[in-house]
């Protein structure tokens, strides 16, 4: 017997916590601002648009509300600190973050894409304009960082909180500082795509396409063996976000496996497990 969406929700206890809605009174109608350019192939069940679902009373709603408060609270200028320093711009007096986003931490700038996605989803689900405005501001400031690549000594399109030399090191298999560059870049790409798709921010699209273009140019110069060796360093969901970009634009340049040498269109491509053999990275190779 096939498992319907209804039975799946029943089985997971979700039927009491989710309500499918049209427009909720007192909220902004929240729809995906930009539709997918390509239709999925071979798909018989589709997810609801985020704006069609609301949480009702329960543990999920209890978790959502403090999360939303935190998303509204976060200081965007502090999140921008490592990008601005790396791209040789003023930090506008902001304090640096600590922990995994500290200026000296190897894979700094990997959390910012998560915030872009969360803000975009908060707007899409709840019509929250504070989150929308934070996403707009971060995208505008990231665009300034990307535009300053010439002064920073980086290639056009690059955007990160760590230097482009880390990319060279991962390509040459000489990276020893613990960074996972493409894992971080995936988060930025995914966040930009969500701000474009869910909020309709065209500047996010521009920055996204420039960064994706940098990825394509950077990887296309690698031979098959060098590409496969490089993929031994954790790269997160790069193939997934580039495939999503293909779906959003209809441009086959972005078919994820082609850019990263992970599908049958790339001569000599094969499935390679990352050095750490962790599910966080390796499951993406099979999705």
């Amino acid at each position: 017997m096939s498992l319907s969406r209804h039975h799946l929700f029943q089985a997971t206890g979700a039927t009491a916590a989710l309500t499918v809605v049209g427009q909720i009174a007192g909220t902004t109608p929240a729809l995906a601002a930009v539709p997918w350019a390509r239709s999925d192939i071979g798909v018989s069940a589709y997810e609801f648009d985020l704006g069609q679902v609301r949480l009702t009373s329960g543990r999920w709603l209890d978790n959502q509300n403090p999360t939303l408060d935190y998303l509204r609270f976060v200081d965007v200028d502090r999140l921008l600190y490592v990008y601005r320093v790396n791209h040789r711009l003023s930090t506008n007096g902001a304090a640096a973050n600590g922990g995994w986003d500290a200026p000296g931490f190897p894979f700094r700038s990997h959390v910012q894409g998560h915030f872009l996605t969360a803000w975009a989803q908060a707007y899409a689900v709840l019509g929250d304009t504070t989150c929308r405005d934070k996403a707009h501001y971060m995208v505008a400031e990231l665009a300034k960082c990307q535009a300053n690549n010439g002064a920073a000594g980086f290639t056009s399109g690059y955007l990160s909180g760590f230097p482009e030399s880390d990319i060279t090191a991962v390509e040459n298999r000489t990276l020893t500082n613990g960074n996972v560059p493409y894992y971080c870049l995936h988060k930025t790409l995914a966040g930009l795509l969500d701000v474009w798709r869910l909020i309709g921010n065209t500047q996010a699209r521009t920055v996204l396409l420039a960064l994706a273009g940098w990825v394509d140019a950077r990887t296309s110069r690698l031979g098959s063996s060098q590409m496969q060796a490089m993929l031994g360093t954790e790269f997160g969901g790069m193939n997934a976000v580039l495939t999503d970009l293909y779906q959003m634009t209809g441009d086959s340049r972005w078919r994820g496996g082609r850019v990263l040498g992970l599908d049958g269109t790339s001569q000599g491509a094969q499935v390679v497990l990352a050095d750490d053999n962790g599910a966080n990275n390796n499951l993406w190779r099979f999705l």
Side-chain angles (χ1 to χ4, degrees):
M1 182 181 70
S2 62
L3 184 66
S4 69
R5 188 195 308 261
H6 173 72
H7 288 126
L8 177 61
F9 280 146
Q10 267 194 331
T12 59
T15 51
L18 294 177
T19 302
V20 182
V21 299
Q23 183 175 345
I24 299 295
T27 65
T28 302
L31 304 173
V34 183
W36 300 101
R38 295 185 72 256
S39 299
D40 284 334
I41 299 173
V43 176
S44 58
Y46 296 87
E47 62 188 13
F48 295 114
D49 285 337
L50 291 178
Q52 294 179 297
V53 179
R54 294 291 185 275
L55 297 179
T56 57
S57 297
R59 291 178 60 187
W60 289 2
L61 184 62
D62 292 341
N63 289 335
Q64 174 186 275
N65 290 336
T67 299
L68 182 62
D69 288 342
Y70 178 68
L71 291 175
R72 291 168 170 167
F73 160 79
V74 167
D75 186 340
V76 182
D77 283 306
R78 292 190 68 179
L79 290 174
L80 287 164
Y81 186 96
V82 291
Y83 284 95
R84 286 169 168 162
V85 168
N86 194 44
H87 290 264
R88 305 296 188 265
L89 293 175
S90 169
T91 60
N92 289 353
N97 286 323
W100 283 18
D101 200 42
F105 192 77
F107 46 97
R108 57 196 177 274
S109 75
H110 80 285
V111 302
Q112 286 78 354
H114 290 308
F115 279 102
L116 287 173
T117 291
W119 287 324
Q121 290 177 345
Y123 178 69
V125 174
L126 302 170
D128 190 276
T129 55
T130 298
C131 289
R132 177 202 63 193
D133 293 347
K134 284 180 179 287
H136 283 325
Y137 177 62
M138 175 167 272
V139 167
E141 295 304 305
L142 289 176
K144 293 176 184 178
C145 292
Q146 195 177 57
N148 205 48
N149 275 341
F154 300 148
T155 308
S156 177
Y158 186 66
L159 180 63
S160 180
F162 48 81
E164 196 172 5
S165 58
D166 277 16
I167 303 294
T168 302
V170 80
E171 290 171 350
N172 294 334
R173 312 309 297 151
T174 58
L175 186 67
T176 58
N177 65 359
N179 195 2
V180 280
Y182 280 105
Y183 174 90
C184 299
L185 293 176
H186 158 244
K187 309 300 180 286
T188 303
L189 287 163
L192 290 166
L193 188 143
D194 286 334
V195 173
W196 170 34
R197 185 172 73 89
L198 298 176
I199 300 180
N201 185 312
T202 55
Q203 189 173 37
R205 178 184 184 274
T206 300
V207 176
L208 167 66
L209 290 175
L211 180 54
W214 174 89
V215 172
D216 191 14
R218 188 85 195 197
T219 57
S220 65
R221 69 188 193 183
L222 303 179
S224 177
S225 60
Q226 188 178 12
M227 171 68 82
Q228 294 302 306
M230 184 184 74
L231 293 177
T233 299
E234 187 172 1
F235 60 84
M238 282 293 297
N239 48 335
V241 72
L242 291 169
T243 300
D244 282 345
L245 186 55
Y246 171 42
Q247 292 290 92
M248 280 297 296
T249 62
D251 186 346
S252 59
R253 176 186 184 188
W254 308 121
R255 193 166 68 191
R258 189 201 65 76
V259 175
L260 288 181
L262 288 167
D263 72 0
T265 65
S266 299
Q267 185 175 3
Q270 56 185 300
V271 173
V272 177
L273 294 181
D275 294 337
D276 62 7
N277 289 333
N280 188 38
N281 186 59
N282 290 319
L283 284 179
W284 290 106
R285 290 161 165 80
F286 302 99
L287 295 178

